[in-house]
Amino acid sequence: MLQHPQLKNASFARGGTDEYLTYYPTEYQWTKGDARFRIIFDAGLNLDFMSSPAAARPLGFAKEDPRTWEASKLHDFICYYITHHGGELPQGSYQFQHPVTKEWHNCHSTRWTFKEADALFKKKLIEDGYPPNKAHVAYLSLRMFGWLYRLLKK
């Protein structure tokens, strides 16, 4: 069983499936062009954590690699809101930094897509030291097979 320092196994809540519950808040910041953004969310997120498409597993993409954990949490959070809320993240969880005052402000009326979530996942993987070639394979597998996983999970 996966032992992540910030996750508790929540399989009991889903009839034995491989699901986890976050018990620490998460924050991720990144730059796009000249703008700075962040996503923040509280503890208590139930996620499937690296349920990668089977096609990606033989290529070395495994949830046992700690370099994939934070990217997986971020991706699961965004994809949950794409699936269940039309891509709109909860109020206050997606923010931009004012370039002069450096204060954080909420991004309003922004709807995420799976393509954007997958691209941010790849970016975070690479930032966390995952090999770029494997991160690209993980990204491509999400793009090619993510729809099938979501269909079968319903």
Side-chain angles (χ1 to χ4, degrees), residues 46-68:
N46 188 3
L47 54 127
D48 55 16
F49 194 66
M50 289 294 299
S51 55
S52 58
R57 292 184 198 127
L59 302 170
F61 192 63
K63 64 180 159 188
E64 291 78 15
D65 189 329
R67 297 173 295 179
T68 66

Side-chain angles (χ1 to χ4, degrees), residues 84-110:
H84 300 287
H85 299 280
E88 193 167 333
L89 302 183
Q91 180 70 19
S93 64
Y94 180 42
Q95 301 177 335
F96 70 95
Q97 189 175 45
H98 190 280
V100 176
T101 66
K102 304 299 183 197
E103 293 176 352
W104 290 99
H105 301 277
N106 292 333
C107 294
H108 298 286
S109 302
T110 302

Side-chain angles (χ1 to χ4, degrees), residues 53-88:
R57 292 184 198 127
L59 302 170
F61 192 63
K63 64 180 159 188
E64 291 78 15
D65 189 329
R67 297 173 295 179
T68 66
W69 295 348
E70 294 304 309
S72 297
K73 280 188 346 185
L74 179 67
H75 189 260
D76 280 3
F77 173 75
I78 297 169
C79 288
Y80 173 84
Y81 283 94
I82 293 171
T83 302
H84 300 287
H85 299 280
E88 193 167 333

